[in-house]
Amino acid sequence: VTLAAAAAAAEAAPRKSKYRRDKPWDTPDIDHWRVAPMRREEVPHAQLLTEESSFATLFPKYREKYLRQVWPEVEAAVKPHGVEATLNLLEGSMTVRTTRNVFDPYIILKARDLIRLLSRSVPVQQAVRVLNDDVNCDIIKIGSFVRNKERFAKRRQRLIGPNGATLKAIEILTECYVLVQGKTVSAMGSFKGLKQVRRIVEDCMNNTHPIYHIKPLMIKRELAKNPDMAHENWDRFLPKYH
């Protein structure tokens, strides 16, 4: 191929693909969403963090008794990661800070999410799971969607469903833990599941019933079990709402 022909081909190519290069290392079997675990032996013995990082959050009065009971479990959960947790009953606050034993710099953000979930009435057995690499959290504020208090209560109850059936269906289909408390919805799970939960919650508060999301998720779940349908277009199986 001559230089002139190559230049002509480059000019004829779309602008987006003009500067693209082949990526031989990017093969289809690579999972781009997988979070590689960080181990202590992989980190150099030299001090990783040069300064202390800390986060604090307030908790409501009614959570004080529960937090006082479970705080030893919280301290035991964050101690292996080199994080120190402090409960201040006078100020009504929880604080997490790094120590010299921290080897994963991201763990302080995980610890911040832990105390945020505890302040939102999430049980400690569930909240400590957020310290795992494959578990993330999202706290969705729903108080600003509806101004009318009665309408807000009805739509929030619609999200929970009779005897919590709707919320349980959302948890099963998205593989996330979901808790509705006051004017917030706390969710824990994978990034993909959290995205689905946020969409369902926001649409529900905007007067779209959760069933319009639950039904397509159920169909997609059944289609995903069939390996022959992996590369097919699923639009013809999904319900269309107008």
Side-chain angles (χ1 to χ4, degrees):
V1 180
T2 62
L3 189 61
E11 289 180 4
R15 193 167 185 179
K16 286 184 178 179
S17 60
K18 183 178 179 181
Y19 299 103
R20 288 185 179 175
R21 299 288 183 270
D22 289 335
K23 300 174 183 176
W25 63 87
D26 193 4
T27 54
D29 59 324
I30 295 177
D31 185 6
H32 297 284
W33 287 96
R34 189 180 73 86
V35 179
M38 192 172 187
R39 300 179 181 85
R40 185 182 290 272
E41 55 270 17
E42 296 175 355
V43 182
H45 292 290
Q47 184 178 347
L48 185 62
L49 302 180
T50 57
E51 295 186 11
E52 179 189 277
S53 299
S54 64
F55 290 98
T57 187
L58 301 175
F59 59 85
K61 187 71 175 177
Y62 64 85
R63 291 289 286 170
E64 182 178 321
K65 183 180 178 182
Y66 177 78
L67 290 173
R68 195 188 306 166
Q69 292 175 349
V70 302
W71 199 250
E73 295 180 43
V74 177
E75 291 179 322
V78 298
K79 189 176 180 180
H81 300 281
V83 176
E84 182 183 326
T86 307
L87 178 66
N88 191 328
L89 296 176
L90 294 176
E91 296 180 358
S93 66
M94 295 177 283
T95 308
V96 287
R97 58 174 57 86
T98 57
T99 64
R100 291 179 177 271
N101 297 325
V102 170
F103 61 94
D104 182 2
Y106 190 70
I107 195 63
I108 186 62
L109 299 180
K110 290 277 193 178
R112 176 203 63 186
D113 292 339
L114 168 62
I115 60 175
R116 285 175 65 199
L117 290 169
L118 288 172
S119 68
R120 303 287 180 178
S121 300
V122 176
V124 67
Q125 294 82 4
Q126 287 288 345
V128 294
R129 289 177 49 236
V130 81
L131 297 173
N132 300 332
D133 288 332
D134 57 341
V135 179
N136 304 279
C137 82
D138 189 11
I139 296 177
I140 308 161
K141 296 181 180 180
I142 58 176
S144 60
F145 284 92
V146 185
R147 292 187 178 182
N148 187 293
K149 289 185 178 179
E150 292 183 7
R151 193 174 297 165
F152 170 80
K154 285 182 179 179
R155 292 185 185 178
R156 186 180 60 182
Q157 184 58 37
R158 189 185 296 168
L159 184 65
I160 298 170
N163 299 322
T166 305
L167 197 65
K168 191 66 180 176
I170 294 170
E171 287 185 327
I172 293 171
L173 292 170
T174 61
E175 298 180 352
C176 291
Y177 171 82
V178 185
L179 176 71
V180 180
Q181 175 70 20
K183 295 184 178 181
T184 59
V185 177
S186 304
M188 294 172 57
S190 64
F191 285 118
K192 182 180 178 182
L194 292 177
K195 186 178 178 181
Q196 293 170 338
V197 171
R198 175 171 277 275
R199 186 180 175 192
I200 294 171
V201 170
E202 290 181 350
D203 283 358
C204 180
M205 299 310 295
N206 284 325
N207 206 22
T208 300
H209 200 283
I211 192 64
Y212 292 109
H213 292 286
I214 291 173
K215 207 168 182 181
L217 285 174
M218 291 175 65
I219 296 171
K220 287 179 181 178
R221 183 170 179 166
E222 292 300 317
L223 290 171
K225 294 178 182 178
N226 187 353
D228 297 333
M229 301 297 297
H231 302 289
E232 294 285 333
N233 188 354
W234 294 354
D235 287 347
R236 65 181 188 274
F237 300 106
L238 302 177
K240 293 177 174 60
Y241 304 112
H242 300 288

